[in-house]
């Protein structure tokens, strides 16, 4: 990990440290995903599709907090690689239902393995207990933050 610059700020101010760590983790994650031909937005979409199963494009757009046009472009990329499948909804032929394919799940698993290695590298100085505590704190912090945007 790059050496952290000395930050002249009052004690207990974590924002700059979190931002620095997030940027470092993002750069390392992008490097790990690149050989798989994935970007973060692909990973998030595949993760949502695996968790939710068949979902309409509109519901996927809502879950990803993207407008419909951007979701169509994202799905075109994933469908072109055989990672997702779109089909007309049997209940409403005007809607498309999206699902992740077996190839999409396999690639998602490979990506998760690569990202686990990145996290192991970035957080190597933390004990397992500290990593677990960090995760719990981040979940709590993001839960309160995301509640304001939903």
């Amino acid at each position: 990990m790059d050496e952290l610059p000395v930050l002249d700020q009052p004690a207990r101010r974590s924002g700059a440290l979190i931002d620095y760590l997030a940027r470092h983790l993002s750069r390392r994650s992008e490097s790990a995903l690149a050989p798989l031909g994935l970007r973060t937005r692909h990973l998030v979409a595949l993760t949502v599709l695996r968790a939710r199963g068949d979902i309409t494009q509109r519901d996927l757009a809502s879950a990803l907090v993207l407008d419909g046009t951007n979701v169509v472009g994202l799905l075109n990329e994933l469908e072109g690689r055989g990672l997702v499948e779109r089909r007309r909804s049997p209940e409403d032929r005007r809607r498309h239902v999206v699902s992740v394919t077996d190839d999409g799940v396999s690639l998602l698993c490979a990506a998760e393995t690569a990202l686990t290695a990145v996290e192991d590298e970035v957080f190597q100085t933390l004990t397992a207990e500290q990593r677990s505590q960090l995760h719990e704190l981040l979940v709590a912090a993001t839960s309160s933050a995301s509640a304001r945007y939903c």
Side-chain angles (χ1 to χ4, degrees):
M1 186 161 139
D2 303 333
E3 188 169 325
L4 180 65
V6 176
L7 300 174
D8 185 23
Q9 54 177 302
R12 302 281 188 204
R13 300 274 316 263
S14 302
L17 292 171
I18 292 170
D19 180 60
Y20 173 81
L21 185 60
R23 283 185 284 116
H24 178 68
L25 190 57
S26 179
R27 281 192 311 268
R28 292 291 302 119
S29 295
E30 288 170 5
S31 294
L33 293 174
L36 301 172
L38 291 175
R39 294 172 45 206
T40 304
R41 64 193 217 123
H42 300 133
L43 180 75
V44 173
L46 291 171
T47 301
V48 168
L49 289 169
R50 181 182 60 189
R52 296 205 181 167
D54 292 354
I55 185 173
T56 65
Q57 277 187 202
R58 178 177 289 187
D59 288 343
L60 180 61
S62 178
L64 298 176
V65 192
L66 291 173
D67 68 53
T69 303
N70 289 333
V71 169
V72 168
L74 173 63
L75 291 175
N76 287 344
E77 293 170 11
L78 294 172
E79 190 173 39
R81 294 184 58 195
L83 304 176
V84 301
E85 177 182 85
R86 280 184 280 197
R87 62 190 180 288
R88 294 277 179 195
S89 168
E91 292 85 32
D92 183 348
R93 301 289 299 160
R94 295 169 294 175
R95 294 181 187 242
H96 283 94
V97 174
V98 185
S99 58
V100 64
T101 64
D102 290 342
D103 286 347
V105 171
S106 294
L107 188 60
L108 179 57
C109 290
E112 289 170 338
T113 299
L115 293 176
T116 296
V118 167
E119 285 193 18
D120 288 344
E121 174 194 318
V122 171
F123 298 122
Q124 66 184 330
T125 60
L126 300 180
T127 66
E129 183 179 333
Q130 289 170 324
R131 285 178 68 170
S132 178
Q133 184 180 24
L134 176 62
H135 180 78
E136 290 172 19
L137 292 169
L138 291 171
V139 166
T142 56
S143 294
S144 67
S146 65
R148 286 179 261 166
Y149 296 106
C150 294

